[in-house]
Amino acid sequence: MIVLDAAGLEKTFVLHLQNGTRLPVLRGAGLTLRAGRCVALTGPSGAGKSTLLRALYGNYRVSAGSIRVRHRGAMIDMADAPPERVIEIRRETLGYVSQFLRAMPRLAARDVVAAPLLDRGAAAEAAAARARAMLDRLGIPTPLHALPPVTFSGGEQQRVNLARAFACEWPILLLDEPTASLDAANRDIVIGLMREAKARGAALLGIFHDRHVRDAVADETLSLEPLKESA
Amino acid sequence: MTLLQARDLRKRFGPVAALDDVSLSLRRREIVAIVGESGSGKSTLLNVLSGRIAPDSGTVLYDEGEGLSPIAGRGEARLRHLQRTRWGFVQQDPRQALRLSVTAGGNIGERLMVSGARHYGDIRATAARWLETVEIDPARLDDLPRTFSGGMLQRLQIAATLVTEPELVFMDEPTGGLDVSVQARILDLVRGLVRRLGLAVLLVTHDIGVARLLADRLVVMRHGRIVETGLTDQVLDDPHHEYTQLLVSSVLPA
Amino acid sequence: MQGYNFAYLDEHTKRMIRRAILKAVAIPGHQVPFASREMPLPYGWGTGGIQLTASLLGPDDVLKVIDQGADDTTNAVSIRRFFARTAGIRTTTRTAEATVIQTRHRIPETPLREGQIIVYQVPIPEPLYRLEPSRAAAAQMHALADYGAMHVRLYEEITRHGRVALSYDYPVMVNERYLMSPSPIPAFDNPKLHMNPAMQLFGAGREKRIYAVPPFTAVRSLDFEDHPFDPRRADAACALCGARETYLDEIVSDDRGGKMFVCSDTDCCESRRETAP
């Protein structure tokens, strides 16, 4: 079943502070995601992989094209959906895992992880239990659960980030270098989580520089090439 | 589910166009931040939207449950009642908003009493609970605010404003003038409270970090006009307008 | 008396004041500004009350004047004589006989009847005076029924003293709409304001305000559910008539700390003594 269908995406950055330099990154880009399958984005640095991922999440606004997402049973075009619809889609349907954790300054790790569950209306107890379980799975020691992740190491922060992503069930999950700062053992745990997500029917789209991870989870790859810069 | 809407607002102060054809909407439970530098018109916009000053032209509409209707048409008494019950306004300087020679409990209790609360013990208990919520020792219920620090005063103002759980809260630079660590604490508090109580918030700030932390949507103002608007992460990560790009790039990295 | 109009004031002034009274009666508890005239006694001595009385008296009226409940204090006597001379009307010390009663700082113990008018002398008509120094801001608060500051004041009283310690000029809500100062009558007298069959008029000469509580109007002393209005009274009986329910004055009787309690309302005390067995 198709859960995400993007086509004709165009994105050009106009840098007003650099004399209006235009930086085209996407032209005619598109892809299809199916439930239970993982697509890996590949290509050289600067090819637009991250840009495409962010565009699909609605973080970067495209100037042309459509991004249709299966949300509450219907296909909705994120590219021209009203802001409240995008927020709803991001809350229920479309998840995004970045390379780095960005969290509220004083929020405890378990609250960071529980937040998306609470946003969906889960009961505090259930959300807290799930958060604890996920932090345990990713090897965050219990004493750290009550501390704000800002004091953690980069790797620990990323694991909190991942715990947050996988504590919820996302029909579609976008992942940007999820295992970049992890050691082999943790990387394998994340592979396990991704496989479980796929088995549940989630569609995954990821940028994995680590070949091992890519081979372990991706069902197909999509290669991007950098655009020739126009004048 | 639009709660508040502004259409084509204009306001001049002498030769200066503080608001120049400004329109925006706020939905229930939505947090919108209005960012811009000094002189952008953002505080004027907040004052017009909250009914504190009248625009030269244009309308502000509010939905009390029977559809959007202009706030100007309601009359001063009804507007004032709205401001004291279903709306809240957190000012930048808590000393302007609080009664400094009235106890903390009295300050928090005021909105309750204005809304009809008549039981001293209950008012006191509610006030004590709210002190705890904003992380002030409830033992200070009978203390005068003049003994409070700046951060405590602002937290007291937040308690005194949110105690009646207004559905719409206006905030004007709620953390302006406070130390950075104090700011973080207050922003955390505000975010938690707003989510928990399901409030709609219209927040004015010159601090992009504050906007990123609190807001769902962002409105960028410059010289009385809205130059860009969108989801917070969209505007901050993918700024389109030249001025927005300048604002975003000017933020000092942590 | 030669050279003076009936009851001292000229008819134009009386008409102006009666118009203000009508307006005040139409909006119970609301302060109506009026063009207070120069009277033959200074501000602070009851000029507001006197102007009201002067505007209301007709040749058949019977006037009683009391000061702190007594008919025989200097001021009460002076004002009563003033009207006797300028209007030639009958005066009395008996509450029941009067058609117009001018009072300073007390309400008579004898219940008033429909058809009687009681005129209160008011020093400061603005109940928000101490909370809001700006007259304009206070006027706005009344217009918008924005009385948060007063509720806060009472809350603070309880917080600081365990009870609302106001013993006189205790603020009231009139007709559940306007906050009013009942003038410096003891809190003990406040219940008499409520649903009184008489017309109650309030005059402040220096501040130039008139306000009114028409007959059978709801007047509620501000309180809390768990701290209800509870006016105090000396726990004693009147040394002269034995009354235990009237408001008492404390009188120092010698220089050795001796004191006695006596009814503040002289007419009431006298009547009780006359009818006592």
Side-chain angles (χ1 to χ4, degrees), chain A:
Chain A
M1 180 177 71
I2 293 178
V3 292
L4 189 146
D5 185 16
L9 299 180
E10 310 241 327
K11 179 65 183 167
T12 299
F13 290 101
V14 180
L15 308 177
H16 293 287
L17 303 182
Q18 274 90 45
N19 287 314
T21 309
R22 297 174 65 83
L23 228 63
V25 183
L26 299 175
R27 194 184 299 138
L31 56 82
T32 308
L33 296 180
R34 288 179 172 73
R37 291 175 63 79
C38 174
V39 174
L41 283 180
T42 60
S45 220
K49 302 189 295 296
S50 277
T51 301
L52 179 57
L53 219 59
R54 284 173 177 244
L56 293 176
Y57 193 61
N59 181 221
Y60 285 170
R61 290 169 283 187
V62 294
S63 51
S66 65
I67 303 165
R68 284 156 16 99
V69 168
R70 186 174 296 275
H71 173 67
R72 294 186 182 177
M75 296 301 276
I76 299 189
D77 185 2
M78 291 240 312
D80 65 21
E84 60 270 14
R85 188 72 53 242
V86 175
I87 290 177
E88 192 182 275
I89 292 171
R90 287 178 177 180
R91 186 170 59 234
E92 297 172 16
T93 303
L94 188 56
Y96 179 90
V97 195
S98 59
Q99 290 182 51
F100 309 107
L101 172 69
R102 193 186 250 153
M104 303 301 138
R106 295 188 314 158
L107 223 48
R110 61 164 173 252
D111 295 326
V112 170
V113 174
L117 291 163
L118 293 172
D119 274 349
R120 286 187 189 177
E125 275 303 306
R130 183 112 180 92
R132 267 197 307 274
M134 202 41 72
L135 284 169
D136 287 341
R137 179 104 181 247
L138 281 154
I140 303 287
T142 309
L144 294 187
H145 292 195
L147 298 178
V150 69
T151 55
F152 297 177
S153 70
E156 280 168 338
Q157 287 194 12
Q158 183 57 356
R159 281 183 279 145
V160 172
N161 199 13
L162 289 159
R164 177 168 60 182
F166 286 100
C168 265
E169 288 184 14
W170 295 102
I172 311 169
L173 195 54
L174 309 173
L175 307 106
D176 191 346
E177 304 277 14
T179 59
S181 50
L182 303 183
D183 61 20
N186 283 307
R187 184 198 60 192
D188 288 339
I189 293 174
V190 176
I191 289 173
L193 287 168
M194 286 194 282
R195 281 183 174 152
E196 283 165 29
K198 280 173 58 180
R200 274 197 311 263
L204 268 47
L205 175 65
I207 302 170
F208 312 106
H209 272 153
D210 187 330
R211 265 218 90 105
H212 175 82
V213 174
R214 198 190 322 148
D215 291 342
V217 297
D219 299 299
E220 62 184 272
T221 58
L222 180 62
S223 178
L224 294 183
E225 288 297 322
L227 290 180
K228 308 271 185 314
E229 206 170 304
S230 45

Side-chain angles (χ1 to χ4, degrees), chain B residues 76-78 80 84 99 101-107 109-110 113-114 116-124 127 141-142 144, chain C residues 131-132 137 140-141 143-156 158-160 177 220 222-227:
Chain B
E76 183 74 39
R78 286 195 61 194
R80 184 70 83 95
R84 288 180 318 188
R99 298 184 191 271
S101 49
V102 165
T103 62
N107 270 289
E110 183 169 356
M113 291 186 271
V114 163
R118 285 285 169 273
H119 193 281
Y120 177 80
D122 289 350
I123 292 167
R124 216 174 145 72
L141 190 64
D142 297 331
L144 294 182
Chain C
L131 300 177
E132 179 47 74
Q140 264 237 316
M141 288 163 76
L144 303 176
D146 190 355
Y147 294 132
M150 182 54 84
H151 295 121
V152 169
R153 163 99 200 278
L154 296 182
Y155 172 98
E156 294 291 290
I158 296 175
T159 302
R160 280 171 217 193
R177 174 53 182 89
R220 174 175 63 86
L222 296 187
D223 61 3
F224 288 93
E225 282 168 16
D226 52 338
H227 283 84

Side-chain angles (χ1 to χ4, degrees), chain B residues 143-196:
Chain B
D143 287 354
L144 294 182
R146 14 166 155 271
T147 60
F148 288 13
S149 68
M152 280 175 84
L153 285 173
Q154 191 56 299
R155 282 180 279 137
L156 180 60
Q157 190 195 176
I158 288 168
T161 307
L162 298 189
V163 66
T164 52
E165 301 188 15
E167 63 181 2
L168 171 55
V169 182
F170 300 91
M171 297 192 191
D172 190 356
E173 308 270 13
T175 56
L178 296 174
D179 291 340
V180 177
S181 59
V182 176
Q183 278 194 38
R185 191 178 185 186
I186 289 176
L187 290 175
D188 237 7
L189 200 64
V190 168
R191 191 184 165 85
L193 278 173
V194 166
R195 287 282 182 241
R196 189 152 56 89

Side-chain angles (χ1 to χ4, degrees), chain C residues 106-175:
Chain C
R106 277 242 51 213
I107 301 181
E109 303 287 351
T110 312
L112 301 175
R113 287 187 327 266
E114 206 170 319
Q116 286 181 308
I117 301 177
I118 178 167
V119 174
Y120 298 79
Q121 293 171 212
V122 179
I124 298 171
E126 181 52 73
L128 298 166
Y129 174 65
R130 273 183 198 82
L131 300 177
E132 179 47 74
S134 157
R135 301 290 90 233
Q140 264 237 316
M141 288 163 76
H142 284 294
L144 303 176
D146 190 355
Y147 294 132
M150 182 54 84
H151 295 121
V152 169
R153 163 99 200 278
L154 296 182
Y155 172 98
E156 294 291 290
E157 283 281 308
I158 296 175
T159 302
R160 280 171 217 193
H161 307 125
R163 54 182 290 270
V164 182
L166 302 173
S167 53
Y168 62 91
D169 203 0
Y170 193 106
V172 296
M173 276 302 276
V174 177
N175 207 26

Side-chain angles (χ1 to χ4, degrees), chain C residues 7-249:
Chain C
Y8 184 77
L9 288 177
D10 61 278
E11 291 305 309
H12 292 295
T13 299
K14 289 185 196 174
R15 208 169 296 143
M16 176 273 295
I17 290 174
R18 286 200 289 263
R19 279 197 196 102
I21 295 173
L22 272 181
K23 195 165 177 181
V25 167
I27 315 172
H30 167 66
Q31 299 164 51
V32 178
F34 78 106
S36 184
R37 294 289 189 248
E38 285 287 341
M39 297 299 285
L41 69 177
Y43 288 141
W45 292 77
T47 57
I50 289 170
Q51 287 177 83
L52 279 177
T53 301
S55 308
L56 294 167
L57 287 179
D60 298 330
D61 272 302
V62 181
L63 176 69
K64 171 181 163 81
V65 183
I66 47 172
D67 180 358
Q68 304 266 48
D71 300 87
D72 57 358
T73 65
T74 311
N75 295 345
V77 170
S78 298
I79 294 172
R80 191 169 64 240
R81 262 214 292 221
F82 171 77
F83 281 116
R85 287 159 74 184
T86 57
I89 44 113
R90 240 185 77 209
T91 64
T92 181
T93 60
R94 305 255 110 145
T95 305
E97 280 177 19
T99 58
V100 178
I101 300 162
Q102 180 168 331
T103 178
R104 173 178 171 271
H105 300 184
R106 277 242 51 213
I107 301 181
E109 303 287 351
T110 312
L112 301 175
R113 287 187 327 266
E114 206 170 319
Q116 286 181 308
I117 301 177
I118 178 167
V119 174
Y120 298 79
Q121 293 171 212
V122 179
I124 298 171
E126 181 52 73
L128 298 166
Y129 174 65
R130 273 183 198 82
L131 300 177
E132 179 47 74
S134 157
R135 301 290 90 233
Q140 264 237 316
M141 288 163 76
H142 284 294
L144 303 176
D146 190 355
Y147 294 132
M150 182 54 84
H151 295 121
V152 169
R153 163 99 200 278
L154 296 182
Y155 172 98
E156 294 291 290
E157 283 281 308
I158 296 175
T159 302
R160 280 171 217 193
H161 307 125
R163 54 182 290 270
V164 182
L166 302 173
S167 53
Y168 62 91
D169 203 0
Y170 193 106
V172 296
M173 276 302 276
V174 177
N175 207 26
E176 291 303 325
R177 174 53 182 89
Y178 279 98
L179 185 70
M180 185 188 94
S181 154
S183 84
I185 55 176
F188 177 85
D189 278 345
N190 273 22
K192 300 185 182 74
L193 296 160
H194 178 67
M195 292 299 184
N196 198 311
M199 169 70 76
Q200 302 178 76
L201 302 177
F202 299 78
R206 175 182 49 210
E207 295 297 317
K208 308 178 194 348
R209 295 283 186 279
I210 287 172
Y211 49 100
V213 174
F216 302 109
T217 300
V219 178
R220 174 175 63 86
S221 300
L222 296 187
D223 61 3
F224 288 93
E225 282 168 16
D226 52 338
H227 283 84
F229 175 68
D230 173 33
R232 296 286 168 88
R233 171 195 175 274
D235 186 20
C238 170
L240 299 178
C241 74
R244 286 205 145 271
E245 261 74 56
T246 60
Y247 192 73
L248 303 174
D249 284 335

